[in-house]
Amino acid sequence: MKFSIFIIVSCVAMASGMPKPSDLDVPRPRLIVGGVEADRSEFPFIVDMRYGRTNSMHWCGGSIVTPEWVVSAAHCMQQAGGAAVYSVVAGEHNLTFGEGSEQLRQVVAIIDHPGYGRPLRFSNDITLLKVDPPFVFNEFVQPVVIPQLNFVPTAVATVAGWGDLQSGGPAPDVLMKVDVPFVAEPSCQTSYPGSISDSMVCYGEEGKDSCQADSGGPLMCGADKALCGIVSWGRGCAQAGYPGVYTETSFFAEWIRSTIAQPLLQPRMA
């Protein structure tokens, strides 16, 4: 769900009656704009995150780190009910029917970055989700590559998700992808004065962007599709002069590694 500052994931109310982030007067989750359908199993690390105890619906995206852990955006996980109201599906492509490759898992713990929301609204917009039972890796389900701190963003990256096809528009049934150009920090600061930190990276151009309901999903760089960013926020979708803003994953490589290596002490269960 990319949050737009207008903000972004999907604008449909949940069956439970609770609003999705995109229904709130806050930055919303994002969809893929200007892209094409991804090949099935092209991104075996992406997951469809669902919200709701019953009749759950697509909510955000995420990426598999290990058989038990998924990384996503912290803003996706702020609804009432804690871990019990979230589940994830790996091996997903078409949301409308089963293709035999899906692995549904319950989220059992949520660990937001301790600096989330400070000092800026979307600072440190990253979370780790523990799932149970663990994923079984195969052709359709694999872990993502986490780049290290010295990683240099590529000139062009690929973002994927099940988000809206245009701001306020329809959502696709299938996984979409789009190639987006890098936007240097000075230009991004001009678009969003005082709102860009060192741990954010900007990509996109008019007509090509992530959008509502893409939040938490992967921005991928290089031949190994390294997770160089996590869909976070932006103003609208694919608007001229307003690129998408992503959590720069390399800044958090050590936090990811150390967090999943430790025993769970006080995960956010509710």
Side-chain angles (χ1 to χ4, degrees):
M1 307 168 173
K2 185 179 179 180
F3 268 105
S4 303
I5 302 177
F6 116 70
I7 297 172
I8 307 171
V9 147
S10 170
C11 297
V12 180
M14 305 304 297
S16 64
M18 296 190 68
K20 281 196 173 185
S22 52
D23 296 325
L24 308 177
D25 186 21
V26 293
R28 299 187 177 110
R30 321 272 310 247
L31 273 187
I32 297 300
V33 179
V36 297
E37 181 178 351
D39 292 335
R40 192 175 170 215
S41 81
E42 184 173 359
F43 309 115
F45 42 80
I46 194 170
V47 298
D48 160 28
M49 185 191 300
R50 299 180 180 180
Y51 174 71
R53 292 178 186 273
T54 59
N55 299 317
S56 61
M57 299 173 63
H58 173 71
W59 182 251
C60 279
S63 300
I64 298 170
V65 180
T66 73
E68 293 184 291
W69 291 94
V70 167
V71 64
S72 185
H75 78 256
C76 288
M77 313 306 296
Q78 304 307 307
Q79 302 304 301
V85 298
Y86 296 98
S87 57
V88 297
V89 182
E92 183 69 279
H93 182 73
N94 191 316
L95 299 177
T96 62
F97 62 86
E99 298 168 286
S101 55
E102 298 87 351
Q103 296 183 28
L104 173 65
R105 300 293 187 262
Q106 178 62 46
V107 175
V108 295
I110 301 169
I111 304 180
D112 295 335
H113 190 279
Y116 171 58
R118 301 187 305 275
L120 302 175
R121 184 172 192 175
F122 291 100
S123 292
N124 307 303
D125 187 14
I126 186 170
T127 191
L128 284 165
L129 314 176
K130 187 171 186 180
V131 302
D132 186 60
F135 295 116
V136 176
F137 289 163
N138 56 32
E139 174 187 358
F140 301 99
V141 180
Q142 289 288 324
V144 74
V145 173
I146 303 293
Q148 296 304 306
L149 183 58
N150 60 354
F151 183 84
V152 177
T154 54
V156 176
T158 301
V159 60
W162 289 272
D164 298 341
L165 300 174
Q166 64 187 57
S167 187
D173 294 331
V174 297
L175 181 64
M176 303 291 289
K177 66 175 182 178
V178 65
D179 291 338
V180 287
F182 173 72
V183 177
E185 184 174 338
S187 295
C188 201
Q189 287 281 12
T190 299
S191 298
Y192 303 110
S195 298
I196 303 299
S197 70
D198 289 343
S199 61
M200 299 176 187
V201 64
C202 301
Y203 276 86
E205 63 184 354
E206 184 176 7
K208 292 185 176 182
D209 195 7
S210 54
C211 197
Q212 288 95 344
D214 283 326
S215 288
L219 176 77
M220 299 155 282
C221 291
D224 60 355
K225 302 173 186 173
L227 184 67
C228 52
I230 295 170
V231 181
S232 184
W233 65 281
R235 183 176 183 85
C237 304
Q239 294 184 20
Y242 293 102
V245 185
Y246 299 80
T247 301
E248 192 166 0
T249 322
S250 61
F251 273 75
F252 303 95
E254 176 57 26
W255 176 76
I256 292 171
R257 187 199 64 76
S258 62
T259 300
I260 64 179
Q262 298 175 29
L264 283 176
L265 299 178
Q266 293 181 313
R268 180 159 62 82
M269 305 298 293

